[in-house]
Amino acid sequence: MTAMAPKNVDWHRFIETLSGVEVIRDRAQVDKLSKDYYYFSPILQSQLADKTADLVVRPRSEAEVLTVAKACVAERIPLTVRGAGTGNYGQCIPLEGGVILDLSRLNAVKWVKPGMACVEAGAKLAAIDKVTQPQGWEIRMYPSTYRTATIGGFIGGGSGGIGSIMYGQLRDRGNLNAVRVVTLEDEPRVLELRGDDVQQVNHAYGTNGIITELEIPLGPVYPWAEVIVTFDDFMTAARFGQALGDTDGLIKKLISIHAAPIPSYFAGLKAHLPEGCHAALLMVAEPSMELFQELVKEFGGTVTYHKPAEETGKKTLLAEFTWNHTTLHARNVDPSLTYLQTLFPYDPQLKLVQHMQEHFGDEVMMHLEYFRVGGAVIPAALQLVRFSTPERLQEIIDYHEANGALIANPHTYILEDGGMKTINPVQVNFKAQVDPYGLLNPGKMRGWLERVAG
């Protein structure tokens, strides 16, 4: 079965069955809470602009989540889970109306142990660190929306970020220990998934279970310095990023490389970015700074900004100019810009990166984020694209893929089409068990749509 847009729902009676759970019906607020940053994509803009929920509910406990789940199943009402709405592909936009389940009030840090924490799904990433850092531990990785994103939304819709140069991606074994999940069966249950079983709901857009609580591994706190290094040549900057990533003795959390003219979009960093420069935005542990300077010297770079660790976290965060915040800053200057997400194959010489940079020039401006994949350091690109037509955008995607670069397409809201391009039967089968009516975030999982159609 699959969910359809609810018709003739008696919403007043539905609300009465929620036993006091907070409900939002104000149209402007419901519309706002039905959206994310989908408008980064001109393709998604036209597809999702008119999609909105009928109402929003804000539970304060897992018990209230169960109440909402039971009410939605009884009326066959679609249910879309939301964290902070900082995703970029319409992950939390309801395609078929119904109820938005806003988990932002489910935000407790329940306990912290050495190297591990138990947190509710709506806890903000920065808020978790405020609890864990005084004990010597911090979140392993986070998106550039660190200050606003929730841990449940990050696990459901993210893949990696600042810290991935040390710890890889969220899907890597060891980066998520356990989750509690509420089902959408006739009698909703709470399931605890541990070990490899967490992959059933990891990065599934909330299509096959409501994550209410997570056990996450933590990393040791380092005193992180924020550094900008500028270069006269893009490929020198890119090779510096690769060398820094490959130098295991230098502890780093962020390696973000930006070809000109991207640095010109960073108004808040203008004083540190000479006109026409190519820039590396970095987070490096203070104990590594002395020998880090030797690597900078080796590649002929210039350090133009160094915020010592005791000052980081105050005012501007360098991380908020990296990953997809780069796109945000660029679009603030030129709203016609969009972006791609490209995974280049492992090649320390960066030959394919250089080819794409030279082939497309300013039409596809190169922005690299280095991270670990299978133990190797490789660049993922979030290139800025000067959008002209959907057809030209597809040509750019096709050219990358024909030449061996994997595109994680940010211009689709379909789970599988935006990522690995393959259906995950484990996640589809889990959905069949826990969401038999297809009510959770319908229309986003291609594997489920094909299963129902078949």
Side-chain angles (χ1 to χ4, degrees):
M1 298 183 182
T2 188
M4 299 296 290
K7 297 175 182 176
N8 303 319
V9 174
D10 184 339
W11 290 108
H12 291 291
R13 187 171 67 82
F14 175 80
I15 291 169
E16 288 175 1
T17 67
L18 297 183
S19 305
V21 179
E22 181 186 355
V23 176
I24 298 170
R25 295 217 67 186
D26 175 74
R27 194 66 250 163
Q29 221 179 339
V30 171
D31 288 350
K32 181 180 179 181
L33 293 172
S34 297
K35 295 293 190 283
D36 63 8
Y37 287 80
Y38 74 101
Y39 55 82
F40 280 14
S41 164
I43 310 301
L44 294 180
Q45 277 184 37
S46 60
Q47 294 175 346
L48 299 177
D50 63 342
K51 305 300 182 187
T52 184
D54 292 279
L55 57 81
V56 176
V57 295
R58 265 193 189 139
R60 292 179 178 272
S61 67
E62 188 177 79
E64 288 193 347
V65 173
L66 281 161
T67 297
V68 175
K70 187 172 178 63
C72 286
V73 172
E75 297 289 338
R76 303 294 190 266
I77 294 172
L79 179 66
T80 303
V81 184
R82 174 188 174 88
T86 59
N88 303 108
Y89 330 117
Q91 295 106 309
C92 67
I93 296 179
L95 300 182
E96 299 177 6
V99 171
I100 290 282
L101 183 71
D102 180 342
L103 292 180
S104 59
R105 299 283 170 86
L106 212 68
N107 58 14
V109 177
K110 302 192 80 169
W111 51 256
V112 180
K113 298 176 182 177
M116 192 184 304
C118 178
V119 296
E120 290 183 327
K124 291 183 178 179
L125 301 174
I128 296 170
D129 268 350
K130 281 184 180 176
V131 176
T132 63
Q133 284 177 340
Q135 301 179 50
W137 301 96
E138 64 185 11
I139 288 174
R140 286 185 173 185
M141 67 187 80
Y142 52 80
S144 58
T145 50
Y146 169 69
R147 292 201 257 201
T148 53
T150 66
I151 183 63
F154 185 39
I155 295 298
S159 58
I162 294 97
S164 285
I165 187 62
M166 294 179 70
Y167 296 106
Q169 296 176 282
L170 284 175
R171 68 167 176 261
D172 291 340
R173 180 181 283 158
N175 280 331
L176 177 61
N177 287 7
V179 292
R180 284 172 67 88
V181 176
V182 169
T183 71
L184 253 71
E185 302 163 280
D186 291 313
E187 288 296 331
R189 297 175 291 156
V190 179
L191 306 178
E192 183 174 291
L193 306 178
R194 305 197 66 87
D196 285 347
D197 285 346
V198 300
Q199 302 302 338
Q200 294 174 130
V201 295
N202 193 354
H203 195 69
Y205 291 9
T207 57
N208 61 358
I210 303 167
I211 297 173
T212 57
E213 187 178 297
L214 311 93
E215 287 182 27
I216 56 172
L218 304 171
V221 172
Y222 285 92
W224 296 112
E226 296 183 350
V227 186
I228 296 176
V229 183
T230 60
F231 298 86
D232 295 330
D233 171 71
F234 169 72
M235 285 310 301
T236 302
R239 292 189 177 104
F240 166 80
Q242 182 72 43
L244 177 57
D246 285 337
T247 306
D248 292 337
L250 296 179
I251 306 301
K252 55 271 174 182
K253 194 167 189 174
L254 173 68
I255 304 174
S256 183
I257 309 296
H258 304 261
I262 295 174
S264 69
Y265 296 127
F266 300 156
L269 301 174
K270 192 171 183 179
H272 312 287
L273 295 167
E275 186 175 350
C277 76
H278 309 270
L281 276 57
L282 311 162
M283 292 176 69
V284 179
E286 287 283 6
S288 294
M289 280 302 299
E290 183 177 356
L291 287 163
F292 165 79
Q293 298 274 12
E294 297 294 329
L295 186 68
V296 172
K297 190 187 305 181
E298 184 180 320
F299 280 83
T302 303
V303 175
T304 61
Y305 177 86
H306 175 202
K307 183 192 284 187
E310 60 265 24
E311 295 180 22
T312 58
K314 300 173 184 175
K315 298 182 181 178
T316 302
L317 295 180
L318 206 58
E320 290 181 350
F321 293 87
T322 69
W323 291 82
N324 234 355
H325 256 73
T326 301
T327 312
L328 178 67
H329 287 286
R331 283 179 47 80
N332 285 341
V333 177
D334 183 354
S336 70
L337 293 174
T338 187
Y339 73 114
L340 286 179
Q341 296 179 150
T342 307
L343 187 64
F344 287 101
Y346 176 68
D347 171 21
Q349 300 305 310
L350 304 176
K351 291 187 289 293
L352 190 54
V353 170
Q354 182 169 2
H355 173 75
M356 293 300 175
Q357 169 72 1
E358 294 172 351
H359 181 80
F360 287 108
D362 275 4
E363 184 184 14
V364 183
M365 294 169 268
M366 194 61 79
H367 161 203
L368 302 176
E369 299 286 349
Y370 284 88
F371 66 139
R372 300 187 77 83
V373 177
V377 172
I378 65 170
L382 287 88
Q383 302 109 305
L384 293 176
V385 179
R386 299 188 188 280
F387 180 76
S388 53
T389 66
E391 292 76 20
R392 176 55 181 161
L393 182 61
Q394 189 59 52
E395 286 176 3
I396 294 169
I397 292 172
D398 292 344
Y399 187 86
H400 278 78
E401 294 190 326
N403 283 275
L406 172 69
I407 297 288
N409 189 358
H411 304 285
T412 175
Y413 54 75
I414 300 294
L415 171 64
E416 297 92 339
D417 296 351
M420 303 306 291
K421 309 294 195 301
T422 57
I423 290 171
N424 184 335
V426 172
Q427 292 189 341
V428 177
N429 291 337
F430 188 68
K431 182 175 178 68
Q433 296 172 36
V434 303
D435 181 25
Y437 304 109
L439 298 175
L440 279 167
N441 205 359
K444 305 282 179 66
M445 181 185 274
R446 181 159 56 88
W448 178 259
L449 296 173
E450 292 182 3
R451 180 182 181 126
V452 171

